[in-house]
Amino acid sequence: MTGIEELLLSRIRDVADYPEPGVMFKDITPLLADPAAFTALTDALAAIAADAGATKIVGLEARGFILGAPVAVRAGLGFIPVRKAGKLPGATLSQAYDLEYGSAEIEVHAEDLSAADRVLVVDDVLATGGTAEASIQLIRRAGAEVAGLAVLMELTFLGGRARLEPSLAGAPLKALLKV
């Protein structure tokens, strides 16, 4: 295990039976409250953006905003929020997707991405991959290229990577931690 992995893991708290019995929630708020850990995380994700040749960062609502915005600033790139449906004013592109217990819809401003953009999607956790897959579809529908997906933590037992690899079409999926 590397030093950054140890630092990040030491600042993630397990919360048993949240949000429902049987779930072990990975709480990243202690990591965000520690300036050294948050800076290390931001720097690591910004390095992934540079390696991917990204021109923009897309952050997925809501914790992807918390991570993606400072990564964009650190990397000198634009930041684009992907929001739940109905939260963005003006013209949007939307994408519906299935969840474990139902469905949801996300949106992006139609004019925020173009064919000149290489977009790195940033989020806190890769679980089943549904939201990330929908965001990849939105990015492509906007005409932009997907440069990859970067997450703080991948929950390997939920199979999100296998679901996303066809959608990523060779673009990298980087997880700083795998649990």
Side-chain angles (χ1 to χ4, degrees):
M1 187 177 302
T2 67
I4 188 169
E5 289 172 332
E6 288 179 17
L7 174 62
L8 297 176
L9 276 173
S10 74
R11 302 305 189 275
I12 297 171
R13 176 177 53 184
D14 286 342
V15 180
D17 298 320
Y18 182 82
E20 59 186 50
V23 173
M24 181 64 71
F25 184 79
K26 300 292 188 182
D27 181 13
I28 68 167
T29 57
L31 187 156
L32 299 174
D34 179 328
F38 195 15
T39 298
L41 171 60
T42 301
D43 289 346
L45 292 172
I48 292 169
D51 289 346
T55 61
K56 296 226 173 115
I57 301 294
V58 156
L60 305 182
E61 189 164 338
R63 289 181 298 266
F65 296 174
I66 296 169
L67 302 184
V71 168
V73 169
R74 181 64 51 107
L77 305 175
F79 176 77
I80 310 298
V82 169
R83 306 247 12 224
K84 294 175 183 171
K87 300 290 185 178
L88 291 171
T92 60
L93 295 173
S94 64
Q95 183 68 45
Y97 62 101
D98 292 327
L99 297 167
E100 193 172 348
Y101 302 106
S103 62
E105 190 174 357
I106 56 174
E107 294 179 332
V108 67
H109 275 132
E111 71 276 3
D112 287 347
L113 295 170
S114 73
D117 290 317
R118 286 185 45 81
V119 181
L120 179 70
V121 178
V122 172
D123 206 5
D124 65 329
V125 174
L126 172 59
T128 62
T131 307
E133 184 176 46
S135 72
I136 289 166
Q137 292 170 352
L138 270 181
I139 291 164
R140 289 204 174 107
R141 284 182 44 222
E145 181 181 350
V146 176
L149 170 67
V151 296
L152 163 60
M153 184 175 9
E154 178 182 351
L155 304 178
T156 58
F157 60 93
L158 292 175
R161 181 177 291 268
R163 176 181 184 166
L164 286 174
E165 284 178 342
S167 296
L168 284 166
L173 191 168
K174 303 284 186 172
L176 297 177
L177 303 172
K178 293 181 180 181
V179 294

